[in-house]
Amino acid sequence: MKKIVFYIVLSSIMSSIITIAAYKQYAKEEPLLFPYTSSKTRLTSSDSSSLVSSAGFPDFTRVVSKTIHAVVNVKNYSKKYNNQFDPFDFFFGFPDDFGNNREKKPQRNDIPGLHGSGVILSPDGYIVTNNHVIKDAEKIEITLSDQRTYKAKLIGTDPSTDIALLKINETNLPFIYFSDSNKVQVGEWVLAIGNPFDLNSTVTAGIISAKNRSLGILRGETQSSSSIESFFQTDAAVNPGNSGGALINTNGELIGINTAISSASGNFIGYSFAAPSNLVAKVIQDIKKYGTVQRAYLGVRGMDLSKTEYLKAYNKETHQNIKSQQGFLIGEVFEKSGASDAGLKKGDIIKRIDGKPIQNIADLSFIVGTKHPGDKVKVNIIRNKQKIIFHVILKDLQGRTKIRTKEEITPSELLGAIFEPLSQESKKDFGIGYGIRIKEIRTGRLSAIGLEEGDIILSINGVRMKKPNDVDRILKKYSGDVTIKSIKQNGQVYIAGFEMN
């Protein structure tokens, strides 16, 4: 009997020791609720302990103190936005100004028509923001958290991802490192830093609510099927003025650029959306290195297999019986594309690219959107219930499989336009003796400064345009500020500029 009691007591003691040890280990690992900590900006162990307060609640003070000064206020000075409504106003600006009660302001360019946020990426003054924040700007002004103000130069834009790169003339600036957005997890704590309603340096907290959201806003704005939407969805409060601001993780690393909110009123009602940092990094690195985004394409068109109503119509048309599932159904393969060369066909179901699962079109566009022409990707598909692997060499829209240097890209391509001679009738109608017309406009510098198809370019840097090749002749090997004088289709003379480097 005494032995039995002894073993019971011994067992209880051992159980207690194990429980206490496990509790201490759990308490020690509790900060790992804030997971990703793997770069130059990784917090030290003493930093990590500050993520949980003595009361057990999250404490982000140290993270905020090292990142808040790298988020800036971006002001867009443009006559266009003083009187006109723009769909993207719902993502920055003041909702009270919308609609029939909006006060008509004088057309001046000494007051900002729009404002948003930006993130300093390097100590020498490179800043990322949203394209819609600086669109049509005649002047861009940057205000730092210490209220120092600078005129910014527009280095380049990419409407397909709603990203723009700016530069101010300053050194030793605070900046934020990029994080690997592929490692971001649903449920992870995040902080949004920006300037909602022009309230500088505002911080809100929340979690990643979902990944790979496609909203359709960029396709609607750019009228382009090449727009890339694969947003993080978060419940961190984001309001008008936050666009272009930072979404950071608990290590103070940039995981996204706040881009849009889901709201009928223009104010935050529970969800906001941010472009992932890996996509942002690819875009701005291309702009810096090549002057334009070197975009790769798989060469297919299709639909999400989760869209049951479209799937039913497809099955009826093709007499198939494809079930609703995760994946991307190819409805068309473009001729001479990488997909066509590799052997992909209509009806194939893409399940993975480079080992990453493809659940919908957002997954597909994001993965391909981070690639360059000439990159090879491994594509796992299902064809007639058989699993097949293809290796596809990606191409650009012109079918090229190599990255082109700045010297190989013509100024007209950088401007993003095709020009045509101006007819005698048009010269007579506008009362001018020279000029070239924009025949077609794409993603590039001209669309970023508000020019459209049909507008007439009168001069570039004071040199009159008489024929289309004058553009390349004037701007070839040119570096510096570019001033373009044009006539809009309504007859208004429009002067705008950008920097070419």
Side-chain angles (χ1 to χ4, degrees):
M1 184 68 179
K2 289 182 179 179
K3 286 185 177 181
I4 294 174
V5 173
F6 171 75
Y7 285 124
I8 292 173
V9 172
L10 180 61
S11 176
S12 299
I13 293 172
M14 292 298 294
S15 177
S16 299
I17 292 172
I18 293 171
T19 301
I20 292 170
Y23 174 79
K24 287 183 176 179
Q25 181 67 18
Y26 170 80
K28 186 165 60 177
E29 294 181 353
E30 190 173 9
L32 292 180
L33 289 171
F34 314 95
Y36 179 49
T37 56
S38 65
S39 77
K40 304 175 187 179
T41 54
R42 178 174 182 163
L43 297 175
T44 64
S45 57
S46 60
D47 290 330
S48 296
S49 64
S50 70
L51 294 177
V52 178
S53 69
S54 59
F57 298 110
D59 183 356
F60 304 122
T61 53
R62 190 175 296 244
V63 174
V64 170
S65 67
K66 76 175 201 174
T67 55
I68 195 169
H69 300 297
V71 178
V72 302
N73 194 318
V74 181
K75 294 180 179 179
N76 176 338
Y77 290 80
S78 174
K79 293 177 182 177
K80 175 178 179 179
Y81 293 113
N82 283 331
N83 282 346
Q84 299 179 20
F85 169 79
D86 186 272
F88 269 112
D89 285 349
F90 279 111
F91 305 130
F92 55 93
F94 295 96
D96 289 343
D97 288 340
F98 300 157
N100 296 328
N101 295 326
R102 189 177 187 185
E103 180 184 354
K104 298 295 182 182
K105 300 175 183 178
Q107 288 197 2
R108 299 167 53 191
N109 62 1
D110 59 345
I111 54 175
L114 301 171
H115 73 85
S117 304
V119 183
I120 303 175
L121 301 179
S122 63
D124 58 345
Y126 281 98
I127 296 169
V128 64
T129 186
N130 285 138
N131 175 64
H132 72 257
V133 170
I134 53 83
K135 184 180 177 182
D136 301 328
E138 296 171 35
K139 182 178 75 170
I140 303 170
E141 185 179 270
I142 300 296
T143 303
L144 306 185
S145 62
D146 61 7
Q147 300 307 303
R148 284 183 289 168
T149 300
Y150 302 83
K151 181 181 178 181
K153 292 182 178 180
L154 176 61
I155 304 301
T157 67
D158 181 37
S160 292
T161 54
D162 197 21
I163 296 299
L165 183 64
L166 311 175
K167 178 76 165 61
I168 61 173
N169 186 23
E170 189 55 274
T171 57
N172 299 319
L173 292 168
F175 64 97
I176 303 179
Y177 285 103
F178 279 97
S179 177
D180 182 356
S181 59
N182 287 337
K183 296 183 179 180
V184 174
Q185 300 178 37
V186 174
E188 179 177 342
W189 276 106
V190 291
L191 304 176
I193 307 177
N195 307 287
F197 304 111
D198 217 11
L199 300 172
N200 291 343
S201 304
T202 297
V203 183
T204 56
I207 63 168
I208 295 291
S209 307
K211 297 170 61 176
N212 306 325
R213 291 296 198 204
S214 179
L215 307 177
I217 57 170
L218 298 186
R219 280 185 288 277
E221 176 70 6
T222 64
Q223 300 299 313
S224 171
S225 59
S226 64
S227 297
I228 301 174
E229 293 190 7
S230 185
F231 296 115
F232 287 139
Q233 179 181 312
T234 173
D235 64 354
V238 169
N239 275 295
N242 274 108
S243 280
L247 187 71
I248 64 171
N249 62 19
T250 53
N251 296 299
E253 301 160 333
L254 188 70
I255 63 169
I257 296 297
N258 295 313
T259 300
I261 56 180
S262 178
S263 172
S265 67
N267 295 328
F268 179 74
I269 60 170
Y271 297 111
S272 57
F273 302 91
S277 57
N278 286 12
L279 182 61
V280 175
K282 191 265 184 186
V283 169
I284 64 172
Q285 286 167 2
D286 278 6
I287 290 174
K288 278 187 68 176
K289 191 171 182 178
Y290 308 112
T292 186
V293 178
Q294 304 265 352
R295 181 143 290 134
Y297 296 89
L298 185 60
V300 299
R301 178 183 292 151
M303 66 180 177
D304 296 351
L305 283 171
S306 60
K307 306 291 186 182
T308 55
E309 64 276 18
Y310 299 127
L311 185 56
K312 286 179 181 178
Y314 179 84
N315 283 335
K316 185 176 180 180
E317 178 187 344
T318 60
H319 305 290
Q320 296 191 55
N321 188 30
I322 298 174
K323 304 293 185 182
S324 179
Q325 58 187 284
Q326 292 183 346
F328 181 84
L329 176 65
I330 297 178
E332 181 183 1
V333 178
F334 299 118
E335 291 184 8
K336 299 181 181 179
S337 66
S340 176
D341 292 348
L344 290 172
K345 297 180 179 180
K346 178 180 178 179
D348 289 346
I349 300 173
I350 299 177
K351 302 295 286 188
R352 288 180 175 271
I353 294 182
D354 283 347
K356 299 179 179 65
I358 302 299
Q359 300 181 33
N360 49 45
I361 192 171
D363 289 335
L364 180 66
S365 63
F366 173 76
I367 293 173
V368 176
T370 58
K371 304 293 185 181
H372 289 101
D375 287 350
K376 182 185 287 188
V377 295
K378 178 182 175 183
V379 182
N380 294 69
I381 66 114
I382 294 178
R383 177 185 295 171
N384 298 325
K385 299 182 180 180
Q386 299 295 315
K387 296 180 179 179
I388 308 175
I389 296 174
F390 291 93
H391 292 90
V392 180
I393 298 176
L394 303 176
K395 299 181 178 182
D396 65 14
L397 280 177
Q398 285 70 42
R400 292 179 288 249
T401 57
K402 64 185 287 287
I403 295 176
R404 293 187 297 156
T405 64
K406 283 187 176 182
E407 290 71 26
E408 295 175 304
I409 300 172
T410 67
S412 293
E413 288 180 279
L414 285 176
L415 296 185
I418 296 175
F419 305 97
E420 64 182 1
L422 196 61
S423 67
Q424 291 299 323
E425 183 180 354
S426 293
K427 290 179 181 178
K428 183 178 179 180
D429 289 342
F430 287 97
I432 54 178
Y434 56 93
I436 56 176
R437 187 185 301 276
I438 299 176
K439 179 181 180 181
E440 182 180 335
I441 197 160
R442 304 166 181 167
T443 298
R445 305 296 174 84
L446 294 189
S447 64
I449 61 174
L451 292 178
E452 302 168 324
E453 290 182 8
D455 291 349
I456 298 169
I457 305 295
L458 293 175
S459 65
I460 298 178
N461 287 349
V463 179
R464 293 181 174 183
M465 297 292 102
K466 298 180 179 179
K467 50 187 181 297
N469 62 7
D470 286 344
V471 176
D472 292 334
R473 179 176 59 84
I474 296 300
L475 295 179
K476 187 176 182 180
K477 296 183 180 180
Y478 177 80
S479 178
D481 291 333
V482 177
T483 301
I484 294 182
K485 184 178 180 180
S486 64
I487 296 179
K488 304 290 288 182
Q489 296 173 70
N490 61 5
Q492 176 189 6
V493 176
Y494 182 76
I495 299 176
F498 54 86
E499 182 186 30
M500 180 175 281
N501 54 7

